[in-house]
mmCIF file of all heavy atoms in Angstrom:
data_model
loop_
_atom_site.group_PDB
_atom_site.id
_atom_site.type_symbol
_atom_site.label_atom_id
_atom_site.label_comp_id
_atom_site.label_asym_id
_atom_site.label_seq_id
_atom_site.Cartn_x
_atom_site.Cartn_y
_atom_site.Cartn_z
ATOM 1 N N ALA A 1 -20.535 36.118 24.583
ATOM 2 C CA ALA A 1 -21.683 37.018 24.653
ATOM 3 C C ALA A 1 -22.035 37.380 23.216
ATOM 4 O O ALA A 1 -21.148 37.553 22.377
ATOM 5 C CB ALA A 1 -21.341 38.276 25.441
ATOM 6 N N LEU A 2 -23.312 37.486 22.918
ATOM 7 C CA LEU A 2 -23.796 37.848 21.588
ATOM 8 C C LEU A 2 -24.683 39.058 21.722
ATOM 9 O O LEU A 2 -25.568 39.099 22.581
ATOM 10 C CB LEU A 2 -24.578 36.690 20.969
ATOM 11 C CG LEU A 2 -25.361 37.021 19.708
ATOM 12 C CD1 LEU A 2 -24.414 37.233 18.537
ATOM 13 C CD2 LEU A 2 -26.355 35.924 19.393
ATOM 14 N N GLU A 3 -24.445 40.033 20.875
ATOM 15 C CA GLU A 3 -25.220 41.275 20.921
ATOM 16 C C GLU A 3 -25.661 41.649 19.513
ATOM 17 O O GLU A 3 -24.877 41.551 18.567
ATOM 18 C CB GLU A 3 -24.321 42.378 21.483
ATOM 19 C CG GLU A 3 -25.044 43.598 21.921
ATOM 20 C CD GLU A 3 -25.548 43.459 23.349
ATOM 21 O OE1 GLU A 3 -24.847 42.915 24.192
ATOM 22 O OE2 GLU A 3 -26.673 43.923 23.590
ATOM 23 N N ILE A 4 -26.901 42.060 19.374
ATOM 24 C CA ILE A 4 -27.403 42.627 18.124
ATOM 25 C C ILE A 4 -27.665 44.096 18.413
ATOM 26 O O ILE A 4 -28.432 44.431 19.317
ATOM 27 C CB ILE A 4 -28.683 41.921 17.646
ATOM 28 C CG1 ILE A 4 -28.395 40.435 17.423
ATOM 29 C CG2 ILE A 4 -29.215 42.589 16.382
ATOM 30 C CD1 ILE A 4 -29.625 39.593 17.150
ATOM 31 N N THR A 5 -26.986 44.979 17.671
ATOM 32 C CA THR A 5 -27.117 46.404 17.955
ATOM 33 C C THR A 5 -28.523 46.895 17.652
ATOM 34 O O THR A 5 -29.224 46.353 16.801
ATOM 35 C CB THR A 5 -26.113 47.237 17.133
ATOM 36 O OG1 THR A 5 -26.398 47.079 15.747
ATOM 37 C CG2 THR A 5 -24.688 46.847 17.436
ATOM 38 N N THR A 6 -28.902 47.946 18.356
ATOM 39 C CA THR A 6 -30.180 48.589 18.097
ATOM 40 C C THR A 6 -29.974 49.668 17.047
ATOM 41 O O THR A 6 -28.843 50.030 16.725
ATOM 42 C CB THR A 6 -30.731 49.226 19.380
ATOM 43 O OG1 THR A 6 -29.824 50.240 19.798
ATOM 44 C CG2 THR A 6 -30.914 48.206 20.477
ATOM 45 N N ARG A 7 -31.034 50.185 16.540
ATOM 46 C CA ARG A 7 -30.944 51.256 15.551
ATOM 47 C C ARG A 7 -31.245 52.611 16.174
ATOM 48 O O ARG A 7 -31.551 53.564 15.497
ATOM 49 C CB ARG A 7 -31.886 50.976 14.395
ATOM 50 C CG ARG A 7 -31.416 49.758 13.615
ATOM 51 C CD ARG A 7 -32.065 49.651 12.298
ATOM 52 N NE ARG A 7 -31.437 48.530 11.589
ATOM 53 C CZ ARG A 7 -31.864 48.040 10.484
ATOM 54 N NH1 ARG A 7 -32.923 48.551 9.909
ATOM 55 N NH2 ARG A 7 -31.252 47.038 9.913
ATOM 56 N N CYS A 8 -31.112 52.672 17.459
ATOM 57 C CA CYS A 8 -31.375 53.908 18.205
ATOM 58 C C CYS A 8 -30.056 54.646 18.408
ATOM 59 O O CYS A 8 -29.095 54.087 18.926
ATOM 60 C CB CYS A 8 -32.003 53.555 19.553
ATOM 61 S SG CYS A 8 -32.307 54.974 20.597
ATOM 62 N N GLY A 9 -29.986 55.893 17.996
ATOM 63 C CA GLY A 9 -28.773 56.681 18.115
ATOM 64 C C GLY A 9 -28.291 56.851 19.545
ATOM 65 O O GLY A 9 -27.102 57.049 19.790
ATOM 66 N N ASP A 10 -29.206 56.771 20.509
ATOM 67 C CA ASP A 10 -28.840 56.950 21.911
ATOM 68 C C ASP A 10 -27.976 55.809 22.439
ATOM 69 O O ASP A 10 -27.327 55.949 23.462
ATOM 70 C CB ASP A 10 -30.090 57.059 22.783
ATOM 71 C CG ASP A 10 -30.875 58.322 22.510
ATOM 72 O OD1 ASP A 10 -30.326 59.244 21.874
ATOM 73 O OD2 ASP A 10 -32.042 58.386 22.925
ATOM 74 N N THR A 11 -27.982 54.668 21.758
ATOM 75 C CA THR A 11 -27.244 53.512 22.257
ATOM 76 C C THR A 11 -25.915 53.300 21.543
ATOM 77 O O THR A 11 -25.212 52.345 21.830
ATOM 78 C CB THR A 11 -28.088 52.231 22.121
ATOM 79 O OG1 THR A 11 -28.322 51.981 20.739
ATOM 80 C CG2 THR A 11 -29.392 52.345 22.880
ATOM 81 N N ASN A 12 -25.552 54.188 20.631
ATOM 82 C CA ASN A 12 -24.337 54.011 19.845
ATOM 83 C C ASN A 12 -23.099 53.800 20.717
ATOM 84 O O ASN A 12 -22.355 52.849 20.526
ATOM 85 C CB ASN A 12 -24.122 55.195 18.906
ATOM 86 C CG ASN A 12 -22.959 54.972 17.976
ATOM 87 O OD1 ASN A 12 -22.892 53.966 17.280
ATOM 88 N ND2 ASN A 12 -22.026 55.907 17.963
ATOM 89 N N LYS A 13 -22.868 54.682 21.677
ATOM 90 C CA LYS A 13 -21.693 54.558 22.545
ATOM 91 C C LYS A 13 -21.769 53.279 23.373
ATOM 92 O O LYS A 13 -20.785 52.556 23.509
ATOM 93 C CB LYS A 13 -21.564 55.770 23.463
ATOM 94 C CG LYS A 13 -20.345 55.695 24.381
ATOM 95 C CD LYS A 13 -20.266 56.934 25.277
ATOM 96 C CE LYS A 13 -19.105 56.879 26.231
ATOM 97 N NZ LYS A 13 -19.272 55.912 27.302
ATOM 98 N N ARG A 14 -22.941 52.978 23.906
ATOM 99 C CA ARG A 14 -23.089 51.778 24.730
ATOM 100 C C ARG A 14 -22.808 50.514 23.913
ATOM 101 O O ARG A 14 -22.086 49.629 24.352
ATOM 102 C CB ARG A 14 -24.480 51.720 25.350
ATOM 103 C CG ARG A 14 -24.632 50.546 26.309
ATOM 104 C CD ARG A 14 -25.962 50.528 27.014
ATOM 105 N NE ARG A 14 -27.030 50.355 26.048
ATOM 106 C CZ ARG A 14 -28.200 50.962 26.107
ATOM 107 N NH1 ARG A 14 -28.446 51.814 27.070
ATOM 108 N NH2 ARG A 14 -29.130 50.740 25.207
ATOM 109 N N ASP A 15 -23.378 50.430 22.694
ATOM 110 C CA ASP A 15 -23.212 49.233 21.863
ATOM 111 C C ASP A 15 -21.794 49.072 21.335
ATOM 112 O O ASP A 15 -21.289 47.964 21.216
ATOM 113 C CB ASP A 15 -24.167 49.270 20.668
ATOM 114 C CG ASP A 15 -25.608 48.978 21.040
ATOM 115 O OD1 ASP A 15 -25.853 48.517 22.173
ATOM 116 O OD2 ASP A 15 -26.488 49.205 20.194
ATOM 117 N N ARG A 16 -21.145 50.171 20.982
ATOM 118 C CA ARG A 16 -19.870 50.077 20.258
ATOM 119 C C ARG A 16 -18.629 50.370 21.100
ATOM 120 O O ARG A 16 -17.528 50.061 20.677
ATOM 121 C CB ARG A 16 -19.916 50.998 19.043
ATOM 122 C CG ARG A 16 -20.873 50.449 18.005
ATOM 123 C CD ARG A 16 -21.142 51.400 16.866
ATOM 124 N NE ARG A 16 -22.098 50.814 15.945
ATOM 125 C CZ ARG A 16 -23.403 50.731 16.142
ATOM 126 N NH1 ARG A 16 -23.931 51.195 17.255
ATOM 127 N NH2 ARG A 16 -24.195 50.177 15.253
ATOM 128 N N VAL A 17 -18.829 50.956 22.276
ATOM 129 C CA VAL A 17 -17.684 51.279 23.131
ATOM 130 C C VAL A 17 -17.816 50.583 24.490
ATOM 131 O O VAL A 17 -16.942 49.807 24.882
ATOM 132 C CB VAL A 17 -17.542 52.809 23.326
ATOM 133 C CG1 VAL A 17 -16.401 53.130 24.273
ATOM 134 C CG2 VAL A 17 -17.354 53.508 21.986
ATOM 135 N N ASP A 18 -18.897 50.857 25.193
ATOM 136 C CA ASP A 18 -19.040 50.375 26.562
ATOM 137 C C ASP A 18 -19.138 48.852 26.672
ATOM 138 O O ASP A 18 -18.495 48.251 27.533
ATOM 139 C CB ASP A 18 -20.263 51.002 27.231
ATOM 140 C CG ASP A 18 -20.167 52.515 27.334
ATOM 141 O OD1 ASP A 18 -19.034 53.043 27.254
ATOM 142 O OD2 ASP A 18 -21.224 53.166 27.478
ATOM 143 N N LYS A 19 -19.939 48.243 25.828
ATOM 144 C CA LYS A 19 -20.142 46.797 25.950
ATOM 145 C C LYS A 19 -18.886 45.988 25.661
ATOM 146 O O LYS A 19 -18.569 45.074 26.432
ATOM 147 C CB LYS A 19 -21.317 46.347 25.092
ATOM 148 C CG LYS A 19 -22.642 46.798 25.691
ATOM 149 C CD LYS A 19 -23.811 46.300 24.908
ATOM 150 C CE LYS A 19 -25.098 46.774 25.553
ATOM 151 N NZ LYS A 19 -26.276 46.290 24.829
ATOM 152 N N PRO A 20 -18.132 46.283 24.593
ATOM 153 C CA PRO A 20 -16.895 45.514 24.408
ATOM 154 C C PRO A 20 -15.933 45.650 25.592
ATOM 155 O O PRO A 20 -15.290 44.676 25.987
ATOM 156 C CB PRO A 20 -16.282 46.102 23.134
ATOM 157 C CG PRO A 20 -17.427 46.679 22.392
ATOM 158 C CD PRO A 20 -18.376 47.172 23.452
ATOM 159 N N ILE A 21 -15.862 46.828 26.175
ATOM 160 C CA ILE A 21 -14.997 47.013 27.339
ATOM 161 C C ILE A 21 -15.530 46.210 28.523
ATOM 162 O O ILE A 21 -14.773 45.508 29.203
ATOM 163 C CB ILE A 21 -14.868 48.510 27.696
ATOM 164 C CG1 ILE A 21 -14.074 49.244 26.614
ATOM 165 C CG2 ILE A 21 -14.207 48.688 29.066
ATOM 166 C CD1 ILE A 21 -14.091 50.761 26.747
ATOM 167 N N GLY A 22 -16.820 46.286 28.754
ATOM 168 C CA GLY A 22 -17.424 45.558 29.878
ATOM 169 C C GLY A 22 -17.256 44.057 29.761
ATOM 170 O O GLY A 22 -16.899 43.378 30.735
ATOM 171 N N TYR A 23 -17.481 43.508 28.582
ATOM 172 C CA TYR A 23 -17.321 42.066 28.389
ATOM 173 C C TYR A 23 -15.852 41.662 28.528
ATOM 174 O O TYR A 23 -15.545 40.621 29.109
ATOM 175 C CB TYR A 23 -17.863 41.625 27.033
ATOM 176 C CG TYR A 23 -19.374 41.739 26.907
ATOM 177 C CD1 TYR A 23 -19.953 42.293 25.776
ATOM 178 C CD2 TYR A 23 -20.216 41.291 27.915
ATOM 179 C CE1 TYR A 23 -21.333 42.401 25.651
ATOM 180 C CE2 TYR A 23 -21.592 41.398 27.801
ATOM 181 C CZ TYR A 23 -22.148 41.952 26.666
ATOM 182 O OH TYR A 23 -23.512 42.052 26.552
ATOM 183 N N ALA A 24 -14.935 42.470 28.020
ATOM 184 C CA ALA A 24 -13.504 42.164 28.162
ATOM 185 C C ALA A 24 -13.087 42.241 29.630
ATOM 186 O O ALA A 24 -12.336 41.386 30.110
ATOM 187 C CB ALA A 24 -12.667 43.109 27.307
#
């Protein structure tokens, strides 16, 4: 899976915490 983070502060937890857990 490839992800490019957004620059929106609202997505910080989703991009850096939730997605790695979900993909794993």
Side-chain angles (χ1 to χ4, degrees):
L2 169 72
E3 195 85 40
I4 300 171
T5 63
T6 63
R7 293 195 174 171
C8 177
D10 293 345
T11 64
N12 186 54
K13 181 180 178 288
R14 185 176 63 219
D15 285 348
R16 290 171 182 77
V17 177
D18 298 340
K19 288 183 180 181
I21 291 170
Y23 292 135

